[in-house]
Amino acid sequence: GAPGSPLATAGAMRAAGLLLAWALLGAAASQQCHPASPGGVLRFTDRHAEIRVPALHRVPSSLDPLYGLVRRCLDLIQQNPLPTELLRTALNDPGSVRTSQVVQYELGYVVCAAVALLFTVAVPVAGMCFCYCRSRRRCGGRLRAHRRSLGCRRRCLLACLSFTSLVILVSVTCAFITSQRVKGQMEPGLGAVPSTLRTLRQHLANVPQGVQMVVDKFEVPRKQIISDLAGLSRSVGLSIHAQLKAVTYAALAELQDRAGDLQTSLHHLQIVHRTARALAAARAELEPALRERRRRVVALLDDPRCTSCASVLGRAQGLQLGADYSKVPSVEKVLKALAGLPRSDFAEMIRQGNGTFNSIPELAVERMAQVIQDLRGDLARTAEKVQSIADGFPLPDYTRPVSEALGKAEHRSQPYLREAERFERYRWIAGTVLCSIILLILACNVTGMALGAYGLSKREDPSDYECRGEAGAKFLLVGVGLAFLFSWLLILLVFATFLVGGNIQTLVCRNWVNQEIYKFIDTPGNLPPSMNFTRQLNLRRDSNLSSAYRECKSGAGLWEVLQLDSSYDLDEHLKTPQYTADFQKRLGDFTADLGDVRLLRSEGRQDLETFARSGVDEVDYGRFQEEMKNPVVQTSLPGLARNLEGLQKMQRNGTVAGRLAAEARALWHMQNSTVQSQEALVAKLGESVQFLSRLAPHLKERVRRTLATTASVEARLPVQAQQILRQELGCFTRKELRYFAQYLNWVGQTLREDVASCQPLATALDNGRVILCDRIAEPWNAFWFSLGCCTFFLIPSIIFAVRLTKHFRPIRNRLISTGSEETCPFHIPRVTALKL
């Protein structure tokens, strides 16, 4: 056959497919596992949220600029650092504290106290003096004479008093807001102290239950692994089948092609043998009849009576046989070599091989049943090992001192918290009342200025009495009287709240933020033995409050900061290999015989080898093809018959014409009865020869390749199946180990950050600073600052109000001047009587 024939092309493509399949199988051992699906991530439920200490943070506020201003003022008033010596003496030997030390440290507050005392004394004394002068009609009376500058002075006083009142209004508004904010934060802030302490004690008390709950969550990876084990064996079998089916099916298809070649070749050889013999016999029968027919036609055409017959005489003389099939090679020897083939049933053989290969998934399930059962037993033993995490957890015996210290702190803080709440209620009441009085003073000022200004606009003559102007002056004087009367209470409230809030900010909050308080506590000798926090909290001997706070804030576990008799290394308990060694080893040692897939039995192999040695490729098919190029008869019988029929029509002699017609009919009969049947046999012979000529050149190579491929597949299938088995088990092992690692990582994270974390202790300390400093002290200090602004601005308010009252009353006398602002330019000035 030609190299480019369809049969050769199909064989080459199948061979290339087999080579590609073997290359893919060779890389199977290094193939990556399937990427982890979203289901490969374990989900653990949250179990401890009800006993967490929520972290509090400073919330930005529109009053932050005011808070910053107050802090800068306090930093100017109190510039001294934390008084470590004074505090050490006060805590260890309170009786030896000298007043001079306190005064030296509180010098800024002492100066402020002196100012407050001076204000408390001076303002009421000034008020009594004003009352005395007013009783003598010397203060807040009337102007004695009219001057040209009175209008300018009056407007200036009105502007100054308005500005002063506006400042007081803004300050009292801030005082109201901050006072209400202190009240709103004080109650939850004070209530957060015992609740936080109780939460911390509950956190410590629930550590054992929390650890046990965390250990019990091993059920999550255990169920997942058991679920994966249930489908492992079938998954492995299907993977082996999927990866080997291309090679196996290709080998079976090639074997089926060779079996087909054997059957088809045998069929065509038999056709060639029978057809060649039949053609030789038919030629022997046709030869005398054709010779006789030629003799008679030549004789007829040579008759002188035959008109125009000489033109056909040459064709009639060439009437003789053509192809001689007795000369072609015999295939009888090949048929004898193939006699009795095929001795095996190739179709059944291929069906059995295909069935054996397709049964690999079921066979894998059967062979892996025992190892699956053993792996489930390993999981049960692993659960017992995981339980040792809870059994060996040491905290319950070492958190008792911390719980007792927290309980004592909660019990002892109750009276102080109640007192603080009571004093805060008094402060709020006093602040609200005094702020309301300041608002009343502002109302008097505003009403007085409005009535006075309105009265001036309606008064035609400066010396005329005007009731609205007089009422405005009286309102201003009422405001002045209230300011004198309550200013000393205001300054006392300002100083009391300033002394408390200022010291909290400068002594506590400022040193809390920069960690100076922790350093003071950690310095040996600063605290009395009864306040040894390291011993009371059972901290490590090499630790202190600062280091414990930093470790807790960074997420350390309680066991890492407490003083334990024997060290407990959680990381050692959470190492994956100690829980997965048996599981991993059992999967690593497992091997399974998945059966041998027999594609070609020995009798089938012998059939194909006999077929290759039979000599089909040694037959000279070219001789057949050369002989088939010759026709059965050299001269075309139908053409000669038509020529005779044409000559018949040209004859004048009836006898000759009849003989020509009879000869034409005889030729047609020979063509239809004998020659056509031989031509059909030649066509049939040609098809068989063409098939055998295409197959013969490649037969031995194809049979050899098919036998080699089949043997290679049969030999390598078990090896490749074992490699794929190892690969799939390795991927499964890594996947299940990730479940173990996820669980153990979650255990460590949960114990450190939640169940047995000491972070709530650090969070509680930070929350205390946020509540005390950011939520209470800042609005508290802003309150006294705003109230102090109101109080000090009452002094210019008093001065401006007293001076302004004279301008709202009638003038005692006036200077007659045409240039006066109080004189109507369209009237001639006249002397008027004085109105007293």
Side-chain angles (χ1 to χ4, degrees):
S5 63
L7 193 60
T9 304
M13 292 178 61
R14 185 169 291 116
L18 279 172
L19 290 175
L20 178 60
W22 281 123
L24 293 175
L25 279 176
S30 61
Q31 181 182 357
Q32 297 292 329
C33 298
H34 300 293
S37 61
V41 179
L42 299 179
R43 303 294 181 185
F44 300 97
T45 56
D46 189 11
R47 345 108 316 281
H48 225 236
E50 68 277 3
I51 60 172
R52 286 179 181 160
V53 177
L56 303 179
H57 303 282
R58 187 181 187 279
V59 180
S61 169
S62 58
L63 296 175
D64 285 347
L66 177 60
Y67 296 158
L69 177 62
V70 175
R71 283 196 299 271
R72 288 191 289 272
C73 291
L74 287 173
D75 290 340
L76 289 175
I77 294 171
Q78 177 57 284
Q79 300 181 8
N80 297 321
L82 183 70
T84 55
E85 294 295 331
L86 180 60
L87 289 175
R88 182 190 299 115
T89 305
L91 291 172
N92 291 278
D93 188 9
S96 62
V97 176
R98 296 192 302 273
T99 307
S100 60
Q101 293 179 306
V102 179
V103 172
Q104 183 180 359
Y105 176 72
E106 298 279 350
L107 184 59
Y109 293 100
V110 172
V111 172
C112 292
V115 173
L117 179 62
L118 178 62
F119 188 95
T120 305
V121 174
V123 174
V125 170
M128 288 187 289
C129 294
F130 177 76
C131 291
Y132 176 76
C133 291
R134 186 74 188 93
S135 65
R136 295 289 183 174
R137 298 178 180 268
R138 294 183 180 179
C139 296
R142 289 184 273 178
L143 295 174
R144 295 186 176 276
H146 181 272
R147 295 181 179 84
R148 297 180 62 180
S149 61
L150 287 179
C152 180
R153 291 174 62 190
R154 184 189 311 121
R155 287 191 294 272
C156 182
L157 288 173
L158 275 171
C160 290
L161 184 57
S162 299
F163 175 74
T164 305
S165 300
L166 179 62
V167 172
I168 294 174
L169 177 62
V170 173
S171 299
V172 76
T173 303
C174 292
F176 262 122
I177 294 173
T178 52
S179 178
Q180 195 63 32
R181 189 162 294 184
V182 172
K183 182 178 183 295
Q185 294 292 340
M186 185 66 75
E187 184 175 353
L190 295 177
V193 175
S195 65
T196 301
L197 294 175
R198 281 193 302 272
T199 301
L200 291 176
R201 286 195 294 114
Q202 184 183 4
H203 172 70
L204 295 175
N206 286 356
V207 166
Q209 295 90 332
V211 174
Q212 186 59 49
M213 281 192 293
V214 170
V215 169
D216 291 342
K217 288 299 176 182
F218 181 69
E219 189 67 14
V220 175
R222 192 184 73 83
K223 286 183 177 179
Q224 182 63 48
I225 294 172
I226 289 177
S227 174
D228 292 346
L229 284 174
L232 173 63
S233 54
R234 179 163 293 277
S235 174
V236 169
L238 290 174
S239 180
I240 294 173
H241 183 272
Q243 295 188 46
L244 295 179
K245 67 180 180 180
V247 172
T248 306
Y249 289 165
L252 289 173
E254 192 167 350
L255 181 60
Q256 188 173 15
D257 288 346
R258 298 293 81 73
D261 289 345
L262 174 59
Q263 295 279 3
T264 309
S265 298
L266 186 60
H267 172 70
H268 284 294
L269 284 170
Q270 291 171 351
I271 290 177
V272 168
H273 179 65
R274 290 195 303 266
T275 305
R277 292 179 62 181
L279 285 172
R283 187 177 189 279
E285 293 178 2
L286 181 61
E287 184 176 8
L290 184 63
R291 188 167 52 248
E292 176 63 22
R293 187 58 51 198
R294 181 181 62 187
R295 185 187 64 77
R296 295 184 65 176
V297 171
V298 168
L300 178 60
L301 294 176
D302 200 28
D303 190 338
R305 293 176 296 173
C306 187
T307 303
S308 301
C309 293
S311 59
V312 184
L313 182 60
R315 295 190 66 179
Q317 290 174 347
L319 191 64
Q320 57 185 356
L321 292 175
D324 186 0
Y325 287 96
S326 60
K327 301 177 181 179
V328 296
S330 174
V331 294
E332 188 174 0
K333 180 180 177 181
V334 179
L335 286 174
K336 287 181 180 179
L338 295 177
L341 294 184
R343 288 185 292 271
S344 58
D345 188 350
F346 280 94
E348 178 62 21
M349 192 185 311
I350 293 172
R351 188 189 65 78
Q352 289 180 358
N354 200 10
T356 303
F357 177 73
N358 290 335
S359 66
I360 286 179
E362 289 73 18
L363 187 61
V365 172
E366 177 185 345
R367 299 292 169 83
M368 295 183 68
Q370 184 58 46
V371 73
I372 298 296
Q373 187 65 30
D374 295 341
L375 289 171
R376 288 175 177 168
D378 291 339
L379 274 179
R381 288 187 291 274
T382 302
E384 297 175 359
K385 293 180 181 179
V386 172
Q387 181 60 37
S388 66
I389 298 177
D391 296 339
F393 207 71
L395 283 182
D397 296 333
Y398 300 96
T399 56
R400 190 176 300 108
V402 183
S403 299
E404 292 176 355
L406 293 174
K408 289 179 182 179
E410 180 184 356
H411 177 70
R412 292 176 180 177
S413 65
Q414 294 291 347
Y416 298 104
L417 297 176
R418 285 194 294 270
E419 287 298 317
E421 188 175 359
R422 184 167 62 88
F423 283 120
E424 164 56 22
R425 186 165 57 251
Y426 293 156
R427 182 211 62 82
W428 182 80
I429 293 173
T432 303
V433 170
L434 292 177
C435 288
S436 300
I437 292 173
I438 293 174
L439 288 178
L440 182 59
I441 294 172
L442 287 176
C444 290
N445 286 352
V446 173
T447 305
M449 286 188 291
L451 290 175
Y454 184 68
L456 283 176
S457 65
K458 295 297 183 181
R459 192 166 63 189
E460 295 181 357
D461 195 305
S463 62
D464 290 340
Y465 176 81
E466 216 288 321
C467 62
R468 283 163 292 202
E470 185 66 28
K474 290 180 179 179
F475 269 107
L476 290 177
L477 289 178
V478 170
V480 170
L482 291 174
F484 279 127
L485 184 61
F486 291 101
S487 59
W488 66 280
L489 290 175
L490 285 168
I491 200 63
L492 287 180
L493 179 61
V494 168
F495 179 72
T497 53
F498 158 73
L499 189 63
V500 175
N503 276 292
I504 289 176
Q505 173 62 35
T506 58
L507 185 62
V508 179
C509 296
R510 188 168 64 189
N511 295 294
W512 200 339
V513 171
N514 57 26
Q515 307 289 311
E516 289 296 326
I517 288 182
Y518 295 136
K519 295 178 183 178
F520 176 81
I521 294 174
D522 293 337
T523 303
N526 283 347
L527 298 179
S530 60
M531 297 178 64
N532 189 334
F533 291 109
T534 301
R535 187 179 67 252
Q536 289 182 358
L537 298 177
N538 196 29
L539 300 179
R540 293 196 320 264
R541 291 189 180 91
D542 61 341
S543 179
N544 52 39
L545 189 61
S546 297
S547 61
Y549 168 76
R550 287 192 298 270
E551 291 178 18
C552 291
K553 194 171 182 62
S554 63
L558 282 168
W559 66 91
E560 295 174 317
V561 299
L562 296 182
Q563 177 63 44
L564 305 182
D565 292 342
S566 58
S567 62
Y568 179 81
D569 190 354
L570 180 63
D571 293 332
E572 195 65 32
H573 286 75
L574 297 181
K575 288 184 177 178
T576 306
Q578 61 182 319
Y579 302 104
T580 61
D582 295 340
F583 188 90
Q584 194 171 0
K585 184 176 185 302
R586 193 177 300 278
L587 281 173
D589 296 342
F590 175 74
T591 58
D593 181 12
L594 299 180
D596 295 333
V597 179
R598 297 299 304 275
L599 304 181
L600 182 64
R601 291 195 293 271
S602 58
E603 57 270 23
R605 183 177 297 275
Q606 292 174 3
D607 284 352
L608 292 180
E609 291 174 349
T610 302
F611 178 42
R613 295 193 304 267
S614 64
V616 175
D617 56 330
E618 297 174 359
V619 176
D620 187 3
Y621 298 103
R623 292 280 304 278
F624 283 92
Q625 293 171 345
E626 289 177 1
E627 202 63 38
M628 284 187 292
K629 292 178 182 177
N630 300 321
V632 175
V633 179
Q634 293 289 353
T635 300
S636 173
L637 295 182
L640 182 59
R642 283 192 290 270
N643 289 336
L644 294 179
E645 290 173 350
L647 289 174
Q648 175 199 355
K649 297 177 182 178
M650 298 171 59
Q651 301 301 317
R652 290 187 293 271
N653 190 320
T655 303
V656 173
R659 291 178 60 187
L660 287 172
E663 291 299 327
R665 286 194 297 272
L667 289 174
W668 279 115
H669 176 73
M670 182 179 291
Q671 172 68 26
N672 295 331
S673 63
T674 303
V675 175
Q676 280 188 354
S677 63
Q678 290 188 32
E679 288 177 346
L681 289 175
V682 171
K684 185 176 181 181
L685 177 64
E687 293 177 358
S688 297
V689 169
Q690 185 179 6
F691 172 81
L692 293 171
S693 63
R694 286 201 309 264
L695 175 68
H698 311 286
L699 176 62
K700 288 184 178 179
E701 176 60 24
R702 287 179 180 172
V703 171
R704 184 196 63 77
R705 187 174 64 242
T706 299
L707 294 176
T709 299
T710 306
S712 176
V713 170
E714 289 180 343
R716 297 187 64 177
L717 273 181
V719 178
Q720 295 292 345
Q722 286 298 323
Q723 290 181 357
I724 297 171
L725 173 67
R726 301 275 12 110
Q727 172 198 336
E728 292 297 319
L729 291 181
C731 292
F732 177 81
T733 303
R734 288 190 288 275
K735 177 183 177 184
E736 306 313 311
L737 290 183
R738 283 197 296 270
Y739 289 141
F740 281 105
Q742 283 183 50
Y743 169 71
L744 293 175
N745 290 336
W746 175 79
V747 169
Q749 180 182 1
T750 305
L751 290 181
R752 283 192 172 91
E753 298 181 2
D754 192 355
V755 174
S757 172
C758 72
Q759 194 167 24
L761 300 176
T763 304
L765 289 175
D766 291 339
N767 289 352
R769 181 188 58 78
V770 171
I771 292 172
L772 178 62
C773 300
D774 296 338
R775 299 193 177 183
I776 294 179
E778 283 195 342
W780 176 290
N781 290 325
F783 166 73
W784 63 254
F785 185 83
S786 302
L787 195 61
C789 288
C790 297
T791 304
F792 282 103
F793 270 91
L794 284 179
I795 295 176
S797 174
I798 291 172
I799 296 171
F800 295 141
V802 170
R803 295 180 65 84
L804 192 59
T805 55
K806 296 182 180 183
H807 291 271
F808 294 157
R809 287 178 170 158
I811 301 175
R812 291 181 181 274
N813 54 39
R814 60 179 181 152
L815 297 175
I816 301 173
S817 172
T818 58
S820 173
E821 294 177 359
E822 303 293 337
T823 306
C824 180
F826 302 104
H827 295 279
I828 299 175
R830 59 185 180 85
V831 179
T832 58
L834 294 176
K835 294 182 180 180
L836 300 178

